[in-house]
Amino acid sequence: MPMPSTGIIMLWLLSGIAIINSCVNGYDGSMMNGMQSLAQWQSYFNTPDGPTLGLLNAIFNAGGTVGVFFAPYVTDKLGRRLGIAIGSVIILIGVILQSAAQNIHQFIGGRFVIGYGLAISGNAAPILVAELAHPHFRGTITGLYNTQWALGSIIAAWVTFGTFSINGQAAWRIPSAVQAAPSVILLIFLPFMPESPRWLVDKGKSDKARAILGKLHGNGNINDPLVNLEMEEIEEAINFERQNEKASYLELVATPGNRYRMFLGITVGLFSQWSGNGLISYYLFKVLDNIGITDSKTQLLINGGLSIYSWILANTGAFITDRVNRRPQFLTATIGMMASFAALTAATGVYNENGNNAAGIAVIVLIFVYSAAYSLAWTALTVLYPTEIMPYNIRAKGLAVSSLAVNLALFFNSYVNPIGLDNIGWKYYFVYVAWLPIEVVTIFFFYKETKGRTLEELAVIFDGEVAAVAGNTDAVTHPDAEKAYIEQAEKVSSEEQFETSSTAAK
């Protein structure tokens, strides 16, 4: 593994800035959870009923659903950096509308705009992170992108708790306004962010791409053996893909291999939200109401503690992605979620049947157990896995489709969950108790392992024995698949040193 050179340190700092974009999404879910515990917010908007509450949450995802159709155009045509900038500006406009809302319709409109902007920046940012990352750290860095959802959640939970005691509208307007913070940070530092080398090569700017790779991967040496190999692979892959390029989204389903990729990308998006986590992320206060915890301060404290806990475990999950195979990570987490959610449902039922306080305490413990299982895999892999399996020419569109699946699932959950909870209470949990085994079976039979595969093996897995390796060498961006780059670079470097020594000896 490379020493922490200046280039590597700079790479981590730049990636960290882009990763901040993920905070917006996590902030939103936790903020809306906290708002529902604020009497000031409830009073100002006349205590929204189930359908209205569902719309308040779902409209954010509706904006995201619309945005994902435009996101690939911005990301591919205008560049990754400009995609982040455009999305961030739109988010700021939405935050202004939301935090200054005079009625519930303005609040809803602001949330739609925020979701729309996040779809654009959320398409560009993880791709930029993956395409800038050093091969040794690509899995970890890309996995860390989605884990900062939990960091945004922490900030929102404790900002909301901090404003809890403020009398008047400021109690909810301040948390609404703070949602702009990640986008402001991005816009301040974006001028210092380099563009994706792959995008630059695709636009005929290979010299700029080489300079960026030399600075970040070659410690300032644009002719570093690793940089030479990466440039060769990128140019070869993009030339191949350009020759075989199709202009429409039909490219995503044009071959059996791409259809398989789409199936995996869509199911990852759906499963990441249709696993019961939507209840805890957006409607924790209703879950706590079902076990007799109705005090606003206690609810906000639990929400804040759960956010910190989830963030720690999500980061742990991101760092183990380079050490644990993807399939076992997916399966272990989802089986853990299935078991803990079933136990949580049973304990809630016991509490509601006879008021058993021990059952109520068990529910709180099981919420944390469930969150641990989810955070150790799904938070990191929701973005990492679809990014890994997509070749460059469909990466933006493929990730957009996976994000579309996330937004559709969130829209359904956000709108339907509060209605279900209002109508049948805790028994609504059985929907997810029945659904989680389907996820386990799907992962077991259909999810392919990507960690530890060579580039040739990955091409064969998705495209068959006739796969053109030259066109797939840039298809997957994770450390194990690119170990060959490093080994070959070291070999080339050794040979160059030997030739130099031999010449000197003569």
Side-chain angles (χ1 to χ4, degrees):
M1 183 172 290
M3 295 295 290
S5 63
T6 302
I8 296 298
I9 294 171
M10 184 182 298
L11 174 63
W12 275 93
L13 290 173
L14 293 172
S15 298
I17 294 168
I19 285 169
I20 288 173
N21 185 74
S22 183
C23 291
V24 178
N25 204 352
Y27 188 99
D28 188 83
S30 187
M31 180 193 75
M32 289 305 297
N33 240 336
M35 293 291 194
Q36 294 165 57
S37 294
L38 290 177
Q40 300 93 321
W41 183 84
Q42 292 278 0
S43 175
Y44 191 85
F45 292 114
N46 300 317
T47 313
D49 57 13
T52 304
L53 192 58
L55 180 61
L56 280 166
N57 283 317
I59 200 67
F60 174 83
N61 303 305
T65 301
V66 175
V68 296
F69 289 105
F70 298 95
Y73 173 83
V74 176
T75 301
D76 285 340
K77 300 298 182 183
L78 304 181
R80 287 33 169 156
R81 292 170 72 247
L82 196 53
I84 295 173
I86 291 172
S88 297
V89 170
I90 294 173
I91 288 170
L92 291 181
I93 294 171
V95 170
I96 292 171
L97 292 173
Q98 174 183 266
S99 57
Q102 299 302 305
N103 55 60
I104 199 164
H105 304 295
Q106 292 177 7
F107 193 86
I108 289 172
R111 291 182 54 68
F112 179 91
V113 175
I114 295 171
Y116 182 87
L118 183 60
I120 295 174
S121 63
N123 182 262
I127 293 177
L128 179 61
V129 169
E131 293 177 350
L132 282 176
H134 190 286
H136 270 305
F137 309 116
R138 189 160 288 146
T140 299
I141 289 178
T142 309
L144 281 171
Y145 177 84
N146 212 41
T147 64
Q148 302 321 301
W149 185 101
L151 178 59
S153 179
I154 292 172
I155 297 169
W158 290 103
V159 168
T160 308
F161 179 79
T163 61
F164 165 74
S165 59
I166 297 176
N167 292 322
Q169 301 172 25
W172 64 267
R173 292 193 189 275
I174 291 174
S176 294
V178 174
Q179 190 169 9
S183 298
V184 171
I185 293 171
L186 276 171
L187 290 172
I188 290 172
F189 287 98
L190 201 57
F192 305 101
M193 289 284 293
E195 184 53 87
S196 159
R198 286 162 175 79
W199 186 83
L200 289 170
V201 171
D202 190 42
K203 301 304 176 185
K205 300 178 181 179
S206 295
D207 289 344
K208 290 185 178 180
R210 179 178 286 275
I212 291 170
L213 287 174
K215 187 175 184 179
L216 298 181
H217 295 187
N219 200 27
N221 181 9
I222 63 172
N223 293 312
D224 183 89
L226 173 61
V227 174
N228 290 335
L229 283 168
E230 287 186 297
M231 283 298 298
E232 181 182 342
E233 295 289 353
I234 291 170
E235 290 171 345
E236 187 178 61
I238 289 177
N239 287 335
F240 176 88
E241 289 156 1
R242 188 176 291 142
Q243 293 169 8
N244 296 272
E245 188 175 9
K246 300 178 180 67
S248 73
Y249 271 89
L250 292 176
E251 183 182 358
L252 300 179
V253 293
T255 67
N258 282 356
R259 288 193 289 273
Y260 202 139
R261 291 180 176 102
M262 286 304 101
F263 167 75
L264 294 178
I266 290 170
T267 56
V268 166
L270 293 177
F271 293 172
S272 72
Q273 304 303 325
W274 273 359
S275 302
N277 52 309
L279 291 174
I280 296 171
S281 297
Y282 281 89
Y283 301 106
L284 179 63
F285 86 105
K286 284 185 174 288
V287 174
L288 296 175
D289 282 347
N290 283 329
I291 54 171
I293 298 176
T294 57
D295 175 64
S296 295
K297 185 175 181 179
T298 303
Q299 290 182 346
L300 289 168
L301 282 170
I302 292 173
N303 186 37
L306 185 61
S307 297
I308 295 173
Y309 172 79
S310 297
W311 180 68
I312 293 171
L313 290 175
N315 282 286
T316 302
F319 279 102
I320 67 174
T321 55
D322 288 342
R323 297 169 177 80
V324 179
N325 287 347
R326 308 292 187 250
R327 272 175 50 83
Q329 194 174 356
F330 269 128
L331 280 170
T332 302
T334 311
I335 291 171
M337 290 154 56
M338 178 180 67
S340 57
F341 200 87
L344 183 154
T345 302
T348 304
V350 170
Y351 178 87
N352 279 268
E353 289 296 322
N354 54 35
N356 188 308
N357 288 330
I361 295 172
V363 170
I364 297 174
V365 172
L366 288 164
I367 287 173
F368 280 80
V369 173
Y370 172 90
S371 296
Y374 183 93
S375 298
L376 285 171
W378 282 98
T379 305
L381 295 179
T382 297
V383 170
L384 173 60
Y385 193 70
T387 304
E388 281 186 331
I389 63 178
M390 304 292 175
Y392 174 84
N393 63 318
I394 64 169
R395 187 171 295 148
K397 291 185 179 72
L399 192 58
V401 170
S402 185
S403 298
L404 176 63
V406 169
N407 279 292
L408 289 174
L410 279 169
F411 182 85
F412 177 86
N413 281 351
S414 299
Y415 192 75
V416 173
N417 280 345
I419 297 174
L421 290 170
D422 279 354
N423 290 335
I424 57 176
W426 68 272
K427 294 178 182 177
Y428 179 68
Y429 302 173
F430 281 109
V431 172
Y432 296 107
V433 172
W435 174 254
L436 280 162
I438 296 174
E439 294 187 4
V440 172
V441 171
T442 303
I443 292 167
F444 183 82
F445 285 105
F446 296 105
Y447 278 38
K448 299 296 184 182
E449 185 57 61
T450 57
K451 184 179 183 296
R453 304 281 189 179
T454 66
L455 300 171
E456 292 82 359
E457 288 172 338
L458 283 164
V460 170
I461 286 173
F462 288 106
D463 300 308
E465 294 293 340
V466 296
V469 175
N472 287 283
T473 50
D474 194 40
V476 178
T477 54
H478 62 82
D480 292 305
E482 297 202 29
K483 277 183 180 177
Y485 286 7
I486 311 300
E487 292 169 357
Q488 189 176 346
E490 290 172 349
K491 181 180 178 182
V492 170
S493 181
S494 298
E495 290 174 352
E496 289 177 348
Q497 292 174 7
F498 175 77
E499 290 174 2
T500 302
S501 300
S502 299
T503 303
K506 290 179 182 178

